[in-house]
Amino acid sequence: MRVAARLSGVARAVILGTTIVFTALVLVVNRTNEVEPIALSQGQPAPQTFVATDRVSVVDQQATEAARAAERLGVDEVYTEDAQTTEAVLESIQDFFANAEAAAEPLEVPDDDVVVPTTTTTSTTTTTTLPEETSTTEPSSDTSTTEATTTSEETTTSSTTTSTTTTTTIAPPPPRELQIAELREMHPLLRTETIEAMVDVRNDDVDRVAEGEQPVFSFVEDEALTLALDLLDAGIRSTELEAVRSGLVTNPRSLILLRDLPEEQRTAVEAAVADLVAVSLQANEVKDEAETEAARQAAAEGVPDVTVVFLPGEAIVRAGDVVDPVELQAVLELGLLEPEEGGPSLRALAVVATLMVLLGAFFVWRIGKEHWRHPKLVGLFGVLVVLAALAARVPELVARDRVELGFLLPAALFGYLAANLFDARMAVLMAVPVTTFTALATGDVGLVVYAAGASLAPIPLVSAVSSRAQLNAAVVLSAFIHAPLAAAVAWYFNGSDTVVLSAVVGAASGLVSGVAALGVLPFLASLFGITTAQTLLDLTDRNHPALRRIEEEAPGTFNHSIMVGNLAGRAARGIGADVLLAQAMAYYHDLGKVTAPQFFVENQFGVSNPHDRLPPEESARLIRSHVSEGLRLAREFRLPPDVAQGIYTHHGTSLMRFFYHKALDLYGDDVNPADYRHRGRKPQSKEMVIVMFSDACEAAARAMVQHEDPTSESLRTLVEQVITEKVEDGQLEESDVTFGELTRIKEALVDALIGYYHTRIPYPGFPGTTGGSVR
């Protein structure tokens, strides 16, 4: 509890501090303690002609900025090369050729060299035939035969020649389709024609080497790398990449190193190289934002200020001409405006505003403790104070040449808001800051008097409304009160010629204030969780979804609730309590019964009572549950907390006597009364007490009239017994109801019950009449 109290105190202190700051700012902003005899503003006509008294040079900021902006636009963007991108492109191309080489590797290792001897007859000369080319492959350690070459030696002795031929067999590459499929899987972005052309060149190199010719595949790789390097060295930006790729594919470059290839194959390889490079290319020039901005900033800084010079005797601006920034600056630099005189101190104004906020808070603390205990209500009070300061500035905005327009001051708005959101006492309190802030903002005694009367006028009209018609009527009536109030104040302070217009403006102010209050009230009530008269009027509408559900699912409970609401409203009027709140509590107090209506007697029409077959403790549990179920449904239907308290407190902790005595009959004296008490909370407010009494008295009276004809004395005795029982049971221990109010509640309930259960004349021949009265 202490921690919660400390936190609450800190919250209130923060709220008051914030209120003081904002109130002072609202009253001080756009005010000065100096007076300007001549008003000269940019974009407005000059009131007179200003002539330069000396040479003055003024920088034309607008022209200067325009020149610098143009210079910045003339600077091209700076790009830098991304070396990593260049390397990545080359590596991508090299990876393709490496993969093509790997795809062409033989599936099996070739057998050892096979030597085939032959014998021929030749002349007696000795001839040695050497190959045209020698492979660069190193000879193995156990043979003198060179791989990928064939060496023939012919030796002739006498007439017999012995020829020995050594042949190296190279295993063939995998099938062409297999190589193409493997490369397509590894390089899916390349065209099929590209892969086929590359595979064909690589496979043809096997035949070229076997025939002693130079391989071509390595030349293709060199050409592809050279082509990519040429393009990358020229630089490729992201905006140019697609154009470069498209140009490569549509117009492949001629490859000089492949000029010996057949025309058809060379064309296919050139297209393949173009496609490979196009797919691998990336933008390697990146915009350097920092360098670009630095270059543009340097260019802008190089532009000198554009200045305008006014010579002595030259007219700076003529009367009626619109003042531009250069002319205004020249006038100010030459000091052509009259010296400004001292005015009221803004510090003193802020101090007065602070003291008014603190005085209002002190008032709430001393006589409005029920509001002071809740920081959110203190916050709402602060919001209204700040809004009052804003409203006080309205006359100076609208009443420039006509003093009558000052009566548009929306002072009545705060009477409406405070009376509905708090109570009449707080509404009267709000009249103090409204009038004080009006005095500080306007210095007009007449408006101060009008603000006091206008803020008080709506309070008695809206403090006890019980219907929407009354609320609307209060707005209209308040507007009618504003008219003579404004007329009288204007007549006294401003003269008789201002009376008519002041009356019209005052009436308009009252009407607008009332309509604005009706619009703002729901927002503030929802924001701060406050139940207003508008909210209660909506809740007491019979078409409310929760009431309709009660009527449809538990019609007996619905009739009982409406009856209790009527009793509660009459009792609330008897002691000056909130009639709408008491009625709303009563309408929803048995909301929880809709979950199991058959267990409550008012809904058991034409059926047996299920409690006759249940043990008393189970019956007590079922009856008790309608409170918790009611609270759950209250949250579901978003009933305000004030109304939901009627559900929680309408039984308090009362004893369910019927089931308790039934338990005594069954189990003897060994019965704990606490097991047969409701689990609610004892009522605290007058409205909660009224709902508890109205509920109990209506139920008791309904039971009595089923067995006997009621009389005024029997009803009075019944009400007295019910209320006495509640008091003796301690259900009013936490409430603030006085004995005098308790007496008036009894009288109101008795009068209401007598009116409902009055005796009627018997109708001859009416079904069910046996000489008695018909009800």
Side-chain angles (χ1 to χ4, degrees):
M1 292 295 291
R2 292 182 178 178
V3 174
R6 289 179 181 177
L7 291 176
S8 179
V10 171
R12 284 191 291 267
V14 171
I15 291 169
L16 288 178
T18 305
T19 303
I20 290 172
V21 170
F22 277 97
T23 302
L25 287 176
V26 168
L27 292 173
V28 170
V29 70
N30 289 333
R31 293 173 64 92
T32 177
N33 56 359
E34 298 175 342
V35 179
E36 297 181 0
I38 300 178
L40 188 66
S41 302
Q42 176 183 332
Q44 298 295 325
Q48 65 183 49
T49 299
F50 290 89
V51 179
T53 57
D54 198 355
R55 186 182 188 278
V56 62
S57 178
V58 179
V59 176
D60 190 338
Q61 294 292 346
Q62 185 174 357
T64 301
E65 290 300 325
R68 289 174 178 171
E71 191 67 21
R72 286 175 60 88
L73 292 176
V75 176
D76 294 332
E77 295 178 338
V78 179
Y79 285 83
T80 56
E81 182 181 354
D82 186 354
Q84 292 182 347
T85 301
T86 300
E87 293 176 2
V89 171
L90 298 179
E91 288 177 2
S92 175
I93 296 173
Q94 290 170 343
D95 286 345
F96 172 79
F97 285 97
N99 293 335
E101 290 282 1
E105 287 294 326
L107 297 176
E108 297 180 358
V109 179
D111 297 332
D112 294 336
D113 294 343
V114 179
V115 179
V116 181
T118 60
T119 302
T120 60
T121 301
T122 66
S123 65
T124 59
T125 60
T126 301
T127 303
T128 303
T129 304
L130 297 176
E132 293 181 2
E133 290 184 20
T134 303
S135 172
T136 59
T137 305
E138 290 291 333
S140 62
S141 61
D142 58 351
T143 179
S144 61
T145 304
T146 303
E147 289 182 14
T149 65
T150 304
T151 304
S152 300
E153 297 180 359
E154 294 184 358
T155 305
T156 305
T157 303
S158 297
S159 61
T160 303
T161 301
T162 303
S163 177
T164 304
T165 302
T166 304
T167 304
T168 301
T169 303
I170 301 176
R176 178 176 181 269
E177 291 74 12
L178 184 60
Q179 297 180 55
I180 292 172
E182 184 175 349
L183 286 176
R184 185 183 292 114
E185 182 178 356
M186 290 187 289
H187 301 278
L189 297 180
L190 293 176
R191 295 186 293 114
T192 302
E193 293 83 354
T194 298
I195 296 174
E196 290 175 349
M198 293 295 190
V199 169
D200 290 342
V201 171
R202 175 62 183 82
N203 291 342
D204 290 347
D205 274 355
V206 177
D207 297 334
R208 294 188 186 94
V209 171
E211 295 171 1
E213 297 179 6
Q214 192 76 6
V216 176
F217 196 64
S218 59
F219 295 156
V220 176
E221 181 177 5
D222 292 340
E223 289 285 6
L225 293 173
T226 300
L227 175 58
L229 274 175
D230 290 344
L231 295 172
L232 292 170
D233 288 344
I236 302 175
R237 299 177 183 178
S238 58
T239 56
E240 304 169 344
L241 180 59
E242 290 303 321
V244 173
R245 287 175 172 172
S246 177
L248 271 177
V249 174
T250 57
N251 189 22
R253 183 181 296 185
S254 298
L255 305 179
I256 300 174
L257 296 179
L258 306 181
R259 59 183 178 275
D260 294 333
L261 288 176
E263 179 68 21
E264 183 178 354
Q265 187 176 21
R266 181 168 59 82
T267 301
V269 173
E270 288 175 350
V273 169
D275 181 44
L276 173 61
V277 174
V279 171
S280 302
L281 276 182
Q282 298 181 37
N284 69 331
E285 281 198 352
V286 182
K287 181 180 177 181
D288 192 329
E289 297 285 354
E291 289 295 331
T292 301
E293 181 59 27
R296 290 176 176 174
Q297 185 66 25
E301 291 175 354
V303 177
D305 291 337
V306 179
T307 59
V308 178
V309 178
F310 295 96
L311 300 176
E314 181 180 356
I316 300 175
V317 60
R318 298 189 179 278
D321 292 345
V322 176
V323 181
D324 63 31
V326 174
E327 295 166 346
L328 179 61
Q329 185 63 29
V331 171
L332 293 176
E333 289 189 11
L334 291 173
L336 299 181
L337 299 179
E338 293 182 9
E340 300 170 345
E341 301 176 357
S345 172
L346 299 183
R347 294 182 180 178
L349 187 151
V351 170
V352 174
T354 300
L355 291 175
M356 289 308 305
V357 174
L358 294 177
L359 181 62
F362 179 74
F363 184 95
V364 176
W365 175 59
R366 289 296 296 172
I367 65 174
K369 292 184 178 180
E370 68 276 14
H371 305 307
W372 182 259
R373 285 195 296 265
H374 303 286
K376 68 176 182 179
L377 296 182
V378 178
L380 177 58
F381 173 76
V383 169
L384 293 182
V385 170
V386 174
L387 291 177
L390 281 171
R393 302 295 301 272
V394 170
E396 68 179 271
L397 297 177
V398 298
R400 296 185 178 275
D401 300 325
R402 300 300 299 266
V403 294
E404 298 94 331
L405 296 179
F407 292 104
L408 286 174
L409 175 73
L413 174 65
F414 302 95
Y416 286 111
L417 294 178
N420 280 278
L421 295 171
F422 292 100
D423 52 33
R425 292 176 305 163
M426 293 294 292
V428 172
L429 170 63
M430 280 304 303
V432 178
V434 169
T435 53
T436 304
F437 295 156
T438 302
L440 295 175
T442 65
D444 189 326
V445 179
L447 285 181
V448 173
V449 175
Y450 172 76
S455 58
L456 293 173
I459 298 175
L461 302 176
V462 299
S463 296
V465 295
S466 58
S467 67
R468 192 171 299 277
Q470 290 180 351
L471 191 61
N472 296 333
V475 173
V476 176
L477 184 58
S478 176
F480 279 112
I481 295 176
H482 277 66
L485 176 63
V489 171
W491 187 13
Y492 182 82
F493 289 98
N494 303 322
S496 59
D497 56 338
T498 62
V499 171
V500 176
L501 182 57
S502 297
V504 173
V505 173
S509 173
L511 187 61
V512 171
S513 297
V515 174
L518 295 180
V520 173
L521 267 174
F523 171 75
L524 292 178
S526 175
L527 183 63
F528 290 92
I530 296 175
T531 305
T532 65
Q534 281 184 301
T535 305
L536 295 174
L537 288 172
D538 292 335
L539 290 174
T540 52
D541 186 342
R542 302 290 179 85
N543 290 317
H544 190 280
L547 285 180
R548 289 172 59 187
R549 181 172 176 181
I550 298 174
E551 184 177 16
E552 293 170 0
E553 299 182 16
T557 299
F558 175 78
N559 292 326
H560 163 71
S561 299
I562 297 301
M563 182 72 77
V564 173
N566 294 335
L567 293 175
R570 187 157 181 172
R573 278 190 292 271
I575 64 171
D578 192 328
V579 176
L580 283 177
L581 179 58
Q583 287 180 331
M585 285 182 176
Y587 282 0
Y588 297 95
H589 77 283
D590 277 341
L591 177 60
K593 290 183 178 181
V594 298
T595 59
Q598 69 277 12
F599 289 104
F600 299 91
V601 65
E602 66 267 23
N603 300 309
Q604 296 169 358
F605 182 77
V607 296
S608 60
N609 190 338
H611 291 289
D612 295 339
R613 302 183 297 274
L614 294 175
E617 62 273 16
E618 178 65 15
S619 296
R621 184 190 66 79
L622 290 170
I623 297 299
R624 187 187 297 121
S625 66
H626 84 279
V627 173
S628 58
E629 286 296 317
L631 293 174
R632 180 184 64 80
L633 290 173
R635 291 190 296 270
E636 180 180 325
F637 285 101
R638 297 184 179 181
L639 300 184
D642 292 345
V643 176
Q645 284 297 315
I647 300 174
Y648 194 31
T649 61
H650 75 279
H651 284 304
T653 59
S654 300
L655 182 68
M656 289 178 273
R657 295 188 177 277
F658 179 83
F659 298 112
Y660 174 65
H661 288 291
K662 183 177 179 181
L664 289 176
D665 294 339
L666 290 177
Y667 309 129
D669 295 336
D670 190 18
V671 176
N672 186 358
D675 294 337
Y676 295 89
R677 285 189 176 275
H678 286 280
R679 300 286 191 268
R681 179 180 180 179
K682 294 179 180 180
Q684 295 178 315
S685 67
K686 294 179 177 64
E687 292 79 12
M688 296 178 192
V689 172
I690 288 172
V691 172
M692 171 183 277
F693 289 165
S694 299
D695 177 43
C697 289
E698 198 283 331
R702 188 181 295 268
M704 183 185 73
V705 299
Q706 293 177 358
H707 304 289
E708 61 179 275
D709 290 332
T711 62
S712 58
E713 290 302 322
S714 64
L715 289 173
R716 185 178 300 278
T717 301
L718 176 68
V719 170
E720 186 71 36
Q721 289 176 346
V722 169
I723 293 179
T724 300
E725 179 187 353
K726 296 295 184 184
V727 173
E728 292 177 351
D729 195 28
Q731 298 303 311
L732 270 62
E733 291 176 346
E734 300 179 12
S735 70
D736 55 356
V737 177
T738 64
F739 284 109
E741 291 171 336
L742 196 60
T743 300
R744 292 197 295 274
I745 291 173
K746 294 178 185 178
E747 292 298 326
L749 292 177
V750 170
D751 292 342
L753 289 173
I754 291 174
Y756 296 139
Y757 296 111
H758 60 276
T759 303
R760 299 179 183 177
I761 61 172
Y763 294 94
F766 195 88
T769 60
T770 56
S773 62
V774 177
R775 298 178 180 83

